[in-house]
């Protein structure tokens, strides 16, 4: 690990930098479908639809950064069928490795919350075909 506090000065790493590195590292792991809690994902989806906006790589990530250490909290949506403990360990290992490599900070903990599971056939908001069919069925009188 590189030294961030030396006789020649200090190197300060912003929270946003650690959050972006953590978010990218978490997304590299197969089985991570999305990141962020329900409201965070909703706001992110709305924001992406605005002209000139793109998704935030740090969505679902919060960090605390000190002079030499960092702690990371990550909210995940996992794909159905993936072992959650194995996925959490893989995400944790990758986040620790990337943050320590890129920033020189010691990662003291990576807390992972699995907020949802993505089921096969679930729609990601790109034209809800099942929702449209259900709405059409609801519009029909149930009793004739």
């Amino acid at each position: 690990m590189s030294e961030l506090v030396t006789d020649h000065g200090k190197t300060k790493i912003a929270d946003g930098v650690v959050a972006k590195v953590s978010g990218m590292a978490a997304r590299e792991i197969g089985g991570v479908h999305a990141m962020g809690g329900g409201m965070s994902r909703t706001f992110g989806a709305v924001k992406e639809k605005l002209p000139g906006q793109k998704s935030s790589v740090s969505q679902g990530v919060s960090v605390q950064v000190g002079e030499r250490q960092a702690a990371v909290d990550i909210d995940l949506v996992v794909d159905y069928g993936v072992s959650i403990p194995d996925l959490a360990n893989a995400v944790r290992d990758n986040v620790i490795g990337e943050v320590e490599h890129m920033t020189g900070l010691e990662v003291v903990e990576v807390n992972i919350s699995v907020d949802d599971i993505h089921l096969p056939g679930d729609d990601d908001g790109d034209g809800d075909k099942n929702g449209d069919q259900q709405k059409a069925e609801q519009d029909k009188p149930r009793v004739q």
Side-chain angles (χ1 to χ4, degrees):
M1 232 188 321
S2 62
E3 189 64 38
L4 294 172
V5 179
T6 69
D7 294 337
H8 301 287
K10 294 181 185 179
T11 302
K12 171 133 177 55
I13 309 291
D15 291 6
V17 171
V18 176
K20 285 181 179 181
V21 171
S22 299
M24 290 297 294
R27 283 178 172 80
E28 289 175 353
I29 303 302
V32 173
H33 180 76
M35 295 183 56
M39 289 304 286
S40 172
R41 288 193 321 270
T42 301
F43 286 129
V46 170
K47 183 180 171 186
E48 285 178 25
K49 294 183 190 288
L50 297 173
Q53 298 294 318
K54 56 184 176 181
S55 63
S56 170
V57 296
S58 59
Q59 178 178 317
V61 180
S62 62
V63 299
Q64 293 180 333
V65 178
E67 283 188 351
R68 296 184 174 144
Q69 296 179 326
V72 181
D73 296 323
I74 299 176
D75 294 324
L76 297 178
V77 177
V78 302
D79 288 324
Y80 177 79
V82 173
S83 167
I84 293 173
D86 291 346
L87 177 70
N89 285 332
V91 167
R92 189 173 287 113
D93 289 345
N94 204 43
V95 167
I96 291 169
E98 289 298 315
V99 170
E100 288 184 350
H101 168 73
M102 291 187 69
T103 67
L105 294 166
E106 175 191 5
V107 179
V108 293
E109 64 182 10
V110 176
N111 299 309
I112 298 173
S113 296
V114 177
D115 295 321
D116 201 357
I117 189 165
H118 180 260
L119 300 173
D122 273 359
D123 189 86
D124 293 324
D126 300 330
D128 187 0
K129 295 176 185 168
N130 291 334
D132 291 344
Q133 181 181 1
Q134 288 173 351
K135 182 172 179 0
E137 290 173 1
Q138 289 172 353
D139 290 342
K140 294 179 188 175
R142 295 180 71 195
V143 178
Q144 294 182 0

